[in-house]
């Protein structure tokens, strides 16, 4: 189906039916679409949550000998969970962007309360 019967957007009818992996638009919503805008909004929202997490680590953590601020996962979880229930996902995103460091792939409440999270 080249045209979405549920959309009033006629630009989609002129779009090629399939894109290929080498194409820069592969796996992306059409430019200017509401789907693209929702993705941009979600990206900026997560970015704000990562910034807020770093601010909380800076406020609640202690400065170590190396000058970096560190906090245990248990302390961070207790502080941050009142703000957002997505603390582990936001921590993983912050690590992906090189903002924090901690050992292990995933953190679990209770089991990993003593894991140190360092703000880079």
């Amino acid at each position: 189906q080249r045209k979405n019967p549920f959309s009033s957007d006629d630009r989609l009818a002129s779009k090629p039916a399939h894109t290929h992996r080498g194409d820069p638009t592969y796996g992306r919503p059409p430019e200017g679409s509401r789907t693209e805008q929702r993705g941009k909004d979600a990206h900026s929202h997560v970015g704000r949550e990562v910034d807020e997490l770093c601010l909380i680590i800076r406020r609640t953590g202690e400065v170590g000998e190396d000058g970096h601020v560190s906090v245990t996962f248990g302390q961070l979880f207790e502080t941050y969970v009142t703000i957002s229930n997505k603390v582990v996902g936001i921590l993983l995103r912050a690590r992906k962007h090189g903002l924090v460091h901690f050992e292990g792939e995933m953190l679990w409440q209770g089991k990993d309360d003593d894991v140190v999270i360092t703000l880079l």
Side-chain angles (χ1 to χ4, degrees), residues 6-9 11 29-30 32-39 41:
F6 303 106
S7 175
S8 61
D9 193 355
R11 293 175 302 144
S33 68
R34 288 186 284 176
T35 302
E36 180 188 40
Q37 187 58 47
R38 282 190 298 269
D41 292 346

Side-chain angles (χ1 to χ4, degrees), residues 49-106:
E49 287 214 25
V50 168
D51 290 342
E52 186 176 7
L53 175 74
C54 292
L55 182 67
I56 290 170
I57 292 172
R58 192 173 289 119
R59 260 194 252 143
T60 60
E62 296 177 8
V63 180
E65 293 176 11
D66 59 357
H68 290 96
V69 178
S70 297
V71 65
T72 63
F73 176 65
Q75 183 182 2
L76 180 64
F77 189 88
E78 289 303 316
T79 304
Y80 194 78
V81 78
T82 59
I83 300 163
S84 172
N85 60 355
K86 302 176 290 282
V87 65
V88 175
I90 299 300
L91 270 171
L92 292 173
R93 177 65 63 103
R95 180 170 65 179
K96 178 181 176 182
H97 289 286
L99 300 172
V100 298
H101 172 75
F102 56 89
E103 294 296 322
E105 283 188 43
M106 180 65 75

